[in-house]
Amino acid sequence: MSKSHLELTGVEMAFDTPKGSFIALDNVNLKINKGEFVSLIGHSGCGKSTVLNIVAGLLQATKGGCVLNGHEVNSPGPERAVVFQNHALMPWLTVHENVELAVQQVFRKTMSKQERRDWITHNLELVNMAHAANKRPGEISGGMAQRVGIARALAMKPSVLLMDEPFGALDALTRAHLQDSLMEIQQELNNTVIMITHDVDEAVLLSDRIIMMTNGPAATVGEDLHIDLPRPRNRVTLADDPTYVHYRQEVLKFLYEKQRKLETIKPTRASTVEPEQEEAQAARA
Amino acid sequence: MTTLTTSAPENSPTSGVKALIARLSVPNPASVGKQILLPMIGILVFLGFWHLAAPQVNTSLGAFPGPVQVWEQGGQLWQEHVNQRERADKFVTMQEVRNQRLLEKDPSAEVKIRPYPGAPTFLDQVGTSLVTVLAGFVLATVIAVPLGIVFGLNRYFQAAVNPLIQVFKPVSPLAWLPLVTMVVSATYVSDDPMFEKSFLTSMITVTLCSLWPTLINTSVGVAAVNPDLLNVSRVLRLSFWTHVRKVVLPSSVPMIFTGLRVSLGIAWMVLIAAEMLAQSPGLGKFVWDEFQNGSSQSLSRIMVAVLAIGLIGFMLDRIMLLIQKKVAWNE
Ligand SMILES: Nc1ncnc2c1ncn2[C@@H]1O[C@H](COP(=O)(O)OP(=O)(O)OP(=O)(O)O)[C@@H](O)[C@H]1O
Ligand SMILES: [Mg+2]
């Protein structure tokens, strides 16, 4: 059997806080195959972003590690492109220039100037943003900016595409539209994708697998649900498909029944746990 | 407004007039009032108050000058400048004619043209001050922006240097001046100096005092780059220089310019004080000389200088604002 494409083994993440060490993740194990679309779902603050940042190389696991294609990940790189929650476009660059910054950096040596320009345009067309190539991020809507963020990530030809709640800040219609385009693009390019989401429907609709995380501290992988639904998927017809409904139920059950217990413990400890977590999050922001 | 006028019946004469008015007065009346009318009223009220109050204030050199006397002195100073220029031109042409004759007699004769020895006029002093302030400000910028970037990028460095900045920032130019003067006299010794010593002293004092806002704002701006953008830079593996050029610098340009504008304002104020104290050529010296002069017109002439200082400071700020609008992405 061949080794898996991306593998997390025994990952522990401890953060130094003023009140001592805070163990966010404990013994996270995960194997992801090439071309798989994986969603990470779990309650807020459980450590989803931390997992993603470790894969991205933006954070270093305190124990265990992440191996991509047989190489250990210990720094960020364009082969693991990240789509950030709030697009993270440079506000002083136009849409085209934002993608150019990435393309320039990754393909400076392998593509001619003209090839690079065509490649930028191609990726903007992929997300239907070529018409706004010369606008600044401040002049386009949040959904449009998010699409440019996706185009920038795709333009790096990453072997893994990492997305941290890419559609979290968008209205339902824009979100549905972007989900459909993302499905099409992934179908076409067959990228490996890890996406964080809070939205159960989004997870079931898009994913091949849903990784459900237990509540923190010391969060880990709770359940690993394979979604066997044929592609292309259509949100309207799936809505009353019994298998789809079943998967949806599974995720909801995990989030609101199995992981609920921990949540009821929280309020009693709220005064000690919450401020610390909030502080930590503020420090990170 | 346009939809209203187009939907009105075509044949109605009033609608035509309305449309015409709408087209003629493009900026709406309220903003015209705010931007032109109100400042005009403010200035007029000030002039009126000044005109009435000035004669009440008696000094040893006579009553405090009102706007009319100051206006006259302004014209007078201009006239003196024009006359001086004419004399200087004549002086130079005279020498040229003489040299011409010398050369005709003896082609190998050594000829020289001496500059006109007359005292600098008010406008010459304005020119000197402008050149000095710009030189000092440019030097401050060249030092403060790169240093600010280094401090902003490196938290440890910043922590190490911060106390020094906080201590030196509030130092008055008057305290620096004697030190700068002594150091310049001691170190800048050359037979054929490119700059006057007085120019260097004023310029360095200006630099020392106007450095801080730019330095502080730059380092704050650099330290405050959106962490998401820093992560983008890391994911792209941008080299240090590309990172600074493409991410850090553009991101902090708005803050840098805020600092530059404060610095330029300080530079201008400091320069006038330094020139007064050190008797270096410039507007400050003009004010001081007039004060020492103590003629009946001195106060009016000083008042002209005061207004000129204010107007020039205002203009400098406006120019910086224009440059900022050209350069900064958030304007
Ligand atoms: N730099 C840090 N220092 C200290 N604690 C941190 C840091 N980053 C994250 N944490 C803590 O680790 C835990 C997991 O954080 P993480 O951001 O991964 O959660 P998340 O699942 O992405 O939450 P959300 O869904 O709200 O984005 C949280 O309790 C958080 O407070
Ligand atoms: Mg998160």
Side-chain angles (χ1 to χ4, degrees), chain A residues 133-155:
Chain A
N134 292 319
K135 292 200 171 157
R136 300 263 170 96
E139 298 165 338
I140 59 181
S141 71
M144 291 162 96
Q146 201 56 34
R147 281 191 279 177
V148 178
I150 294 172
R152 176 174 64 184
L154 291 172

Side-chain angles (χ1 to χ4, degrees), chain B residues 64-86:
Chain B
F64 194 86
V68 180
Q69 291 102 302
V70 171
W71 178 254
E72 279 167 2
Q73 273 314 312
Q76 179 73 28
L77 284 168
W78 172 252
Q79 197 52 50
E80 282 171 20
H81 177 73
V82 172
N83 294 346
Q84 181 91 296
R85 270 293 135 80
E86 269 173 20

Side-chain angles (χ1 to χ4, degrees), chain B residues 4-15:
Chain B
L4 259 179
T5 47
T6 45
S7 63
E10 280 299 312
N11 52 2
S12 144
T14 50
S15 79

Side-chain angles (χ1 to χ4, degrees), chain A residues 57-58 75-82 84 86 88-92 101-102 105-106 136 152 156 285, chain B residues 225-239 242 246-248 250-252 328-330:
Chain A
L58 293 167
S75 69
E79 77 281 358
R80 281 160 286 124
V82 184
F84 294 90
N86 38 7
L89 299 176
M90 314 279 164
W92 54 89
L101 182 66
Q105 183 67 14
V106 181
R136 300 263 170 96
R152 176 174 64 184
M156 301 176 204
Chain B
V225 179
N226 179 345
D228 275 352
L229 300 185
L230 295 181
N231 279 339
V232 170
S233 171
R234 288 177 66 197
V235 167
L236 287 174
R237 291 215 183 105
L238 296 184
S239 68
T242 320
K246 296 265 170 99
V247 180
V248 170
S251 170
S252 29
W329 45 271
N330 67 340

Side-chain angles (χ1 to χ4, degrees), chain A residues 191-208:
Chain A
N191 291 79
T192 309
V193 181
I194 304 180
M195 179 181 77
I196 293 177
T197 178
H198 274 128
D199 180 340
V200 177
D201 286 300
E202 179 173 277
V204 179
L205 180 68
L206 296 179
S207 319
D208 298 313

Side-chain angles (χ1 to χ4, degrees), chain A residues 13-18 22-25 42-53 59 85 164-165 196-198 213 216-217 276-285:
Chain A
M13 186 74 222
F15 291 108
D16 283 328
T17 65
F22 173 79
I23 312 263
L25 299 177
H43 286 289
S44 182
C46 71
K48 304 180 295 292
S49 299
T50 310
V51 171
L52 200 83
N53 285 338
L59 281 178
Q85 186 160 5
D164 193 344
E165 291 181 46
I196 293 177
T197 178
H198 274 128
M213 292 187 60
E276 176 186 295
Q277 292 193 346
E278 264 169 29
E279 250 172 49
Q281 247 153 3
R284 198 173 38 123

Side-chain angles (χ1 to χ4, degrees), chain B:
Chain B
M1 236 198 309
T2 37
T3 48
L4 259 179
T5 47
T6 45
S7 63
E10 280 299 312
N11 52 2
S12 144
T14 50
S15 79
V17 171
K18 264 188 205 157
L20 197 66
I21 290 171
R23 216 170 296 157
L24 280 179
S25 56
V26 180
N28 76 359
S31 84
V32 169
K34 245 199 228 145
Q35 284 172 9
I36 298 174
L37 221 57
L38 290 180
M40 290 293 272
I41 291 173
I43 291 171
L44 284 177
V45 168
F46 169 73
L47 286 177
F49 178 76
W50 178 13
H51 181 75
L52 294 176
Q56 316 296 324
V57 183
N58 279 303
T59 71
S60 59
L61 296 177
F64 194 86
V68 180
Q69 291 102 302
V70 171
W71 178 254
E72 279 167 2
Q73 273 314 312
Q76 179 73 28
L77 284 168
W78 172 252
Q79 197 52 50
E80 282 171 20
H81 177 73
V82 172
N83 294 346
Q84 181 91 296
R85 270 293 135 80
E86 269 173 20
R87 260 177 277 145
D89 282 346
K90 267 190 211 140
F91 183 74
V92 172
T93 24
M94 229 169 60
Q95 293 186 65
E96 278 170 357
V97 172
R98 191 197 58 199
N99 289 343
Q100 196 70 33
R101 258 186 277 131
L102 281 177
L103 284 175
E104 270 166 24
K105 269 192 219 153
D106 173 13
S108 63
E110 280 203 10
V111 292
K112 257 199 283 187
I113 292 188
R114 280 185 301 127
Y116 182 65
T121 64
F122 177 69
L123 285 166
D124 294 334
Q125 303 285 38
V126 169
T128 310
S129 285
L130 272 176
V131 170
T132 316
V133 80
L134 289 180
F137 173 69
V138 167
L139 184 62
T141 306
V142 167
I143 295 170
V145 170
L147 266 187
I149 291 175
V150 171
F151 294 170
L153 285 177
N154 191 323
R155 249 183 311 148
Y156 302 104
F157 209 8
Q158 170 142 38
V161 185
N162 199 38
L164 292 177
I165 296 179
Q166 299 301 334
V167 168
F168 282 125
K169 190 177 66 147
V171 174
S172 148
L174 309 184
W176 283 119
L177 199 59
L179 299 175
V180 174
T181 313
M182 295 315 288
V183 172
V184 167
S185 315
T187 55
Y188 190 70
V189 274
S190 130
D191 297 332
D192 182 24
M194 191 161 56
F195 305 112
E196 302 267 343
K197 272 186 185 164
S198 60
F199 168 80
L200 280 183
T201 311
S202 303
M203 182 188 86
I204 292 172
T205 309
V206 165
T207 301
L208 282 176
C209 294
S210 68
L211 195 68
W212 312 107
T214 305
L215 179 63
I216 291 169
N217 275 34
T218 304
S219 70
V220 168
V222 167
V225 179
N226 179 345
D228 275 352
L229 300 185
L230 295 181
N231 279 339
V232 170
S233 171
R234 288 177 66 197
V235 167
L236 287 174
R237 291 215 183 105
L238 296 184
S239 68
F240 176 77
W241 282 116
T242 320
H243 173 67
V244 169
R245 251 188 29 239
K246 296 265 170 99
V247 180
V248 170
L249 208 52
S251 170
S252 29
V253 154
M255 275 298 272
I256 293 178
F257 264 92
T258 311
L260 286 176
R261 283 176 64 194
V262 177
S263 280
L264 187 54
I266 290 181
W268 185 235
M269 280 205 278
V270 161
L271 175 69
I272 305 300
E275 284 168 352
M276 269 178 98
L277 194 72
Q279 299 286 297
S280 324
L283 265 173
K285 182 171 162 60
F286 175 87
V287 171
W288 189 251
D289 287 351
E290 286 300 332
F291 177 61
Q292 295 295 318
N293 204 359
S295 80
S296 58
Q297 280 137 21
S298 282
L299 287 184
S300 305
R301 290 162 82 96
I302 292 175
M303 201 58 206
V304 174
V306 166
L307 293 180
I309 292 167
L311 282 174
I312 290 169
F314 175 65
M315 257 170 37
L316 290 175
D317 189 56
R318 278 296 131 134
I319 291 170
M320 281 306 288
L321 195 65
L322 281 182
I323 298 175
Q324 178 173 14
K325 283 199 169 142
K326 275 256 155 46
V327 176
W329 45 271
N330 67 340
E331 290 293 331

